[in-house]
Structures are given as C-alpha cells and as structure tokens.
C-alpha cells in the first residue's frame, strides 16, 4: 500500500496536521504568526548549509530553524520591537538561503520543491520521519499542555503557580523548529506558517475549549491536506499551494458561520 | 512564624530603584493591605514576593511549602483563545467538577462554569480568578488591585467576599490597593508604600499618620469618614469602627 505515491502523500499530509493543529493553536493564541514565518524561511538557509556540508537536508533545516527560533525568542525576551526584528530576520534568512542555494547548480532547478514542497515525491523514509517528527511534537505539547496553557493565558499566573514561562516558551520554539523541518517537504518553506495558522483559525469559531480548538485544527489540517492532494491531481496544480488553497477555503466557510 | 516576609528588599529596574529597603511580614489569618499612589511600587512589591520580579538586595522568606493563591489585577485573555470558566479553573492543576462547582458557588458564580472567559464582565472575571486561587487551598491569598475594574458597590461586595473567605478558610490575605476607603475598613493592618514603607499599622493608626496624610493629601479624610459611616451599616459583626476619630481632622 505504501508503494503508491498518493497513499504516501496522503499519510504525510495527515501526519503533519497532527503537529500543526495544536502548535498552530498556540501560534495564534500567542500571536507568533510572524515568528513562525521567520523560522520557516530560515529552513531554506538550512537546505543550503546541508548541501554544502553533505549533511541530511532534514538535519540542516532543523538546526537552522532551531537557531533562528532561539535567536528570535531571545530577542523578544529582551524587549526588541518584534515586528521590525522579525521582518528583518525572516526575509534576510530567506534571501540568504536563496542566494546560498544558487551555488549548487543541481539544486537550482529543484528550488521550487523547497519553497513550495514536493509532497508527491515523499519517500517511505521521509514519511516515517514526518510521522516521527509530528508525534514527537504532539507528545511534547501533550506533556507540557497544562503549563503551556497557563503560561499562554498569563505569565504571572504561571509564575505564581511555580511554573517557568521562559521554559514553556522554549518548548514551543523547539516544537516549531521540528514542525518546520518536517513540513518543508510537504508544503514548502513559504507556506509552512499558513499550514500552522489557517487550520487553527478555522477551528476557532467552533471551539469552546483550547483542547477542542487544537483537535478541530488537526481535522481541518488533515482535510485540507487530502483535499489539496485531490485538487492537485484533478487540476494538475502544485500540491503544496493547493493544500493551503483548500485550507483557506475552509477558513472562509467557517468565518461566514462566525459572522452569522 | 510568618507565612511570607520581605527582609530589607530592594528592587531595581535598570538604574531605577523602584523599591527601597522593604521589610514586612504576613502572619497566618491576617488581612494586610499595601496602600500607595500609582507608581509607588505596590504591584512590583507583590510580584517580588511572588518571585516574578527578582530582588536586587535583601531576601524574600516563605514558609516551607507555602500555598499561595494569586489574583492578578486583570486578566487579558486573547479573543482567539476559546476557554470556559470551568476549564480555566483547572489551570494549571486539574480540579474535580465538584470542587470547581463549590469554588464558583463560594464566589457567587454558581452554575456559570460553561461560560466563555472572554464574555465575562470585569467583576465576574475577578470572581473567577478568586475561585481559581481558592481551589489551591491557599494559606495566603495575594491580590493585586483586585477591584480596579469594578464600580463602587462591586468593590465593596468584593472586599466583603474576601473577608468571608478569610473567616471561612483562615487564609491570610495580602492585597494591594490605591483606593483608601474600602480597603481601610477591611484590613487588619495597612502598609503605606511610596518606593519605601512610609508608615504601617492598624487602619486607625495609619489614617492619622502624617506620612499617610502627606502621601494622599488631606482631602481624602472626608471621603474616608463618609465611607466608614456606610460601611458600619453593612457590617455588624463586631469589627472595631471609629467614626469619632476621623472628624477630628480638618
């Protein structure tokens, strides 16, 4: 069954949404959307570094995404004006990455697969890594769930309860870097943040608790993944963007209900 | 022994010394109010006692295993976060439905566990925060201007609730306020703060202290006396009141 590239692609999309649903909810609650962008864009630089050093692409993206995420989290803790800082970092990382990748002629032709993903070419090994990474993120979030929610609602309440909000923030940062590394192959660096934000935003108007929102976001992400795959096959459109198009359509539908 | 104490504590933000040489303690069962104008460092003092703000000098001493219930000044929940009152009460420690219902009933919010936190009024939200703090069975409740979003009757009702909680659970209360009248009557001890401790004592002693009157101006005495008249009618539980006292001052 796993021999079929479509089955592998479908499973990869579903696996990814297990992580992006809950993590995307935190990205929305904590207003980290731009932060997600910066981390995702840094992944392109990670691709270039991995090629230069002959390391696996996944390891390169994970390392650079983690470095970017920790840098940004550190800067924000020191009270920098975040939109400017993130704007500089996010786009610089992308530009540096694109320039660096161009030094590898074999990759240049293949660049779009890193920018927009190449889910139809997911191998068995990559599929296993997607699920492993997604389940790791899910387990990390589930383990710290109560503390993460408390720190997200109010850092003071978390402090008073003996929790350390800085540690919880670091956990989200690590989870974000993991998701970026996992999602690069599926939706590509440019649209990872969309995969985090749009399903969670669509889930918001139907949810009464944080848990319900996270679970619904997983469902919306999975439906978008499978729907995008279908759209891509039917209309011969690029798959990564098709997934986001379906997600955006679902979001539009739910926001109509929200207004009603 | 005291539940919590500050021993010659200084807090600095950069080169600004916000709190200078603060020593205080809270004993079991007493209600202590920290009173001071805006910018006097009251909230910072509370946050230093809670360990949120680091102290530059001195020490914070807590009884080993002290259970603190904290009610912040205001909780701003992002509208993107769906969360019911019931779910909120289980953060960060999960509580049983029965315990949650009892806590809500105690603060006058019985049966409202299913409501969204973001749709509550300011007063309701403070009550929920208090209920959440009570669920931890605190020996010490710390409240940071708990009534800043409430109108006058709401404020008086909230302080009555605090006194009830103290009576029922025996928890000590340390709260911060900038409003004089209500707090004065509901406290056993008042600490007057303006970067340093200006004066300290029973409400009666503090309200006549020259440091206190200088800090808040003379005009407040009239309002205080007026309030005490009203308050006497609300509470016939034997608390010492003293209207004769306030009229002596012009």
């Amino acid at each position: 069954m796993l021999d079929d590239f479509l089955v592998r692609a479908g499973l990869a999309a579903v696996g990814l949404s297990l992580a992006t649903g809950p993590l995307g909810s935190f990205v929305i609650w904590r207003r980290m959307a731009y932060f997600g962008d910066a981390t995702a864009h840094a992944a392109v630089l990670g691709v270039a570094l991995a090629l230069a050093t002959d390391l696996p692409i996944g390891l390169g993206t994970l390392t650079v995404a983690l470095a970017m995420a920790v840098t940004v989290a550190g800067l924000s803790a020191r009270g920098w004006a975040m939109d400017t800082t993130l704007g500089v970092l996010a786009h610089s990382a992308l530009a540096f990455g694109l320039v660096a990748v161009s030094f590898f002629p074999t990759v240049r032709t293949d660049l779009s697969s890193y920018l927009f993903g190449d889910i139809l070419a997911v191998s068995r090994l990559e599929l296993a890594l997607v699920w492993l990474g997604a389940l790791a993120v899910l387990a990390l979030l589930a383990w710290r769930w109560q503390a993460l929610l408390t720190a997200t609602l109010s850092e003071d309440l978390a402090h008073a309860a003996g929790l350390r909000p800085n540690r919880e923030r670091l956990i989200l940062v690590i989870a974000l870097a993991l998701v970026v590394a996992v999602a690069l192959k599926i939706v590509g660096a440019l649209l990872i943040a969309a995969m985090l934000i749009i399903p969670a935003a669509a889930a918001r108007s139907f949810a009464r608790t944080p848990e319900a929102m996270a679970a619904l976001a997983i469902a919306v992400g999975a439906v978008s993944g499978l729907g995008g795959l279908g759209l891509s096959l039917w209309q011969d459109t690029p798959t990564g963007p098709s997934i986001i198009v379906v997600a955006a359509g679902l979001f539009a539908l739910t926001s109509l209900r929200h207004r009603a | 022994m005291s539940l919590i104490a500050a021993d010659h504590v200084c807090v600095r933000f950069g080169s600004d010394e916000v709190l200078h040489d603060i020593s205080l303690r809270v004993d079991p069962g007493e209600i202590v109010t920290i009173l001071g104008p805006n910018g006097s460092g009251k909230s910072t003092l509370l946050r230093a006692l809670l360990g949120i703000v680091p102290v530059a000098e001195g020490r914070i001493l807590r009884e080993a295993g002290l259970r603190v219930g904290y009610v912040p000044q205001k909780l701003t929940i992002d509208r993107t976060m769906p969360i019911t009152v019931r779910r909120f009460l289980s953060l960060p420690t999960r509580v049983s439905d029965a315990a949650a219902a009892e806590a809500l009933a105690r603060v006058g919010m019985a049966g409202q566990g299913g409501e969204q936190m973001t749709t509550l009024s300011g007063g309701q939200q403070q009550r929920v925060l208090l209920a959440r703090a009570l669920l931890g069975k605190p020996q010490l409740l710390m409240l940071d201007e708990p009534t800043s979003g409430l109108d006058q009757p709401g404020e008086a009702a909230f302080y009555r609730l605090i006194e009830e909680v103290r009576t029922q659970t025996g928890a000590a209360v340390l709260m911060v306020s900038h409003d004089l009248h209500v707090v004065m009557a509901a406290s056993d001890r008042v600490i007057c703060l303006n970067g340093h401790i200006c004066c300290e004592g029973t409400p009666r002693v503090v309200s006549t202290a020259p440091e206190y009157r200088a800090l808040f101006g003379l005009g407040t005495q009239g309002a205080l006396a007026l309030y005490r008249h009203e308050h006497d009618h609300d509470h016939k539980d034997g608390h010492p009141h003293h209207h004769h006292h306030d009229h002596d001052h012009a």
Side-chain angles (χ1 to χ4, degrees):
Chain A
M1 179 177 96
L2 292 178
D3 290 338
D4 188 332
F5 73 97
L6 268 182
V7 173
R8 288 198 303 270
L11 286 173
V14 172
L16 176 63
S17 52
L18 286 178
T20 51
L23 184 61
S25 300
F26 277 108
V27 167
I28 287 187
W29 298 330
R30 300 175 74 110
R31 306 194 171 250
M32 291 165 66
Y34 218 171
F35 185 96
D37 248 342
T39 309
H41 289 179
V44 177
L45 192 57
V47 170
L49 290 181
L51 290 169
T53 53
D54 269 334
L55 285 170
I57 301 275
L59 191 63
T61 51
L62 183 62
T63 312
V64 176
L66 198 58
M68 172 64 104
V70 170
T71 306
V72 173
L75 290 177
S76 77
R78 257 179 271 162
W80 283 53
M82 278 318 282
D83 59 341
T84 310
T85 313
L86 282 173
V88 170
L89 285 173
H91 299 113
S92 312
L94 184 60
F96 272 103
L98 292 175
V99 168
V101 165
S102 74
F103 288 117
F104 303 91
T106 49
V107 187
R108 195 185 289 180
T109 50
D110 199 25
L111 190 59
S112 74
S113 75
Y114 296 110
L115 292 179
F116 301 112
D118 194 6
I119 193 174
L120 296 178
V122 167
S123 69
R124 281 173 171 227
L125 176 66
E126 284 165 333
L127 178 61
L129 286 176
V130 165
W131 272 81
L132 213 64
L135 289 176
V137 167
L138 202 56
L140 190 64
L141 295 183
W143 170 50
R144 302 301 307 165
W145 190 257
Q146 289 281 95
L148 280 169
L149 276 182
T150 310
T152 300
L153 279 168
S154 158
E155 299 215 335
D156 281 0
L157 281 185
H159 260 300
L163 302 169
R164 278 176 296 169
N166 285 340
R167 189 173 72 165
E168 307 311 328
R169 194 179 306 123
L170 186 64
I171 283 174
L172 285 179
V173 160
I174 292 169
L176 193 61
L178 263 172
V179 163
V180 165
V182 160
L184 186 66
K185 182 79 181 179
I186 300 176
V187 287
L190 292 182
L191 293 174
I192 290 172
M195 193 62 192
L196 284 166
I197 294 159
I198 298 176
R204 168 61 185 98
S205 50
F206 293 93
R208 295 182 45 76
T209 61
E211 290 76 18
M213 179 161 155
L216 271 172
I218 292 178
V220 174
V223 168
S224 307
L226 298 176
L229 213 50
L231 174 67
S232 162
L233 282 177
W234 174 44
Q235 290 293 324
D236 196 25
T237 50
T239 315
S242 303
I243 291 174
I244 305 304
V245 163
V246 173
L250 290 173
F251 171 77
L253 283 177
T254 61
S255 59
L256 285 180
R257 179 213 179 255
H258 197 50
R259 206 164 299 157
Chain B
M1 107 149 230
S2 300
L3 296 173
I4 197 164
D7 178 26
H8 298 288
V9 163
C10 297
V11 172
R12 297 192 191 100
F13 294 148
S15 58
D16 259 2
E17 188 161 82
V18 184
L19 291 174
H20 175 70
D21 195 25
I22 305 285
S23 294
L24 61 82
R25 58 186 170 68
V26 181
D27 292 330
E30 65 173 346
I31 298 186
V32 179
T33 300
I34 302 169
L35 204 58
N38 287 328
S40 59
K42 329 182 274 298
S43 290
T44 304
L45 176 54
L46 210 59
R47 290 157 60 85
L49 288 168
L50 281 163
I52 300 174
V53 172
V55 300
E57 276 173 44
R59 302 181 294 166
I60 305 289
L61 303 163
R62 291 164 157 241
E63 195 187 86
L66 178 69
R67 294 187 306 276
V68 176
Y70 174 52
V71 176
Q73 192 168 2
K74 191 169 183 290
L75 186 66
T76 313
I77 297 183
D78 198 294
R79 295 198 68 83
T80 56
M81 164 89 84
I83 187 163
T84 58
V85 170
R86 172 68 188 89
R87 182 68 187 90
F88 178 74
L89 293 178
S90 270
L91 286 174
T93 311
R94 291 191 189 273
V95 295
S96 70
D97 284 343
E102 192 197 322
L104 283 178
R106 176 175 271 168
V107 300
M109 293 277 293
Q112 290 181 274
E115 290 189 25
Q116 287 289 311
M117 287 294 289
T118 46
T119 61
L120 299 182
S121 70
Q124 288 176 316
Q125 205 173 72
Q126 288 309 113
R127 284 165 183 272
V128 171
L129 281 166
L130 181 61
R132 178 186 165 280
L134 292 177
L135 279 165
K137 301 201 187 314
Q139 297 154 281
L140 172 63
L141 268 176
M142 293 174 89
L143 303 99
D144 189 357
E145 304 212 27
T147 61
S148 56
L150 308 189
D151 56 12
Q152 201 94 8
E155 203 170 45
F158 193 84
Y159 284 116
R160 272 202 297 281
L161 182 59
I162 300 288
E163 277 192 290
E164 264 173 48
V165 164
R166 190 262 303 257
T167 312
Q168 288 167 9
T169 69
V173 178
L174 176 63
M175 57 188 164
V176 148
S177 184
H178 68 267
D179 52 48
L180 313 162
H181 28 291
V182 192
V183 153
M184 282 299 227
S187 307
D188 300 320
R189 209 144 58 77
V190 175
I191 295 171
C192 221
L193 188 77
N194 193 18
H196 61 284
I197 292 179
C198 305
C199 56
E200 171 173 12
T202 62
R204 181 206 294 248
V205 168
V206 167
S207 64
T208 57
E211 295 90 343
Y212 164 82
R213 300 184 66 204
L215 198 53
F216 287 100
L218 294 168
T220 57
Q221 290 292 322
L224 184 60
L226 185 64
Y227 175 72
R228 285 186 176 175
H229 273 288
E230 292 169 0
H231 194 79
D232 278 349
H233 301 298
D234 292 336
H235 279 253
K236 301 200 190 295
D237 50 5
H239 278 264
H241 291 295
H242 23 258
H243 357 164
H244 61 276
H245 183 77
D246 298 287
H247 300 295
D248 303 340
H249 307 280

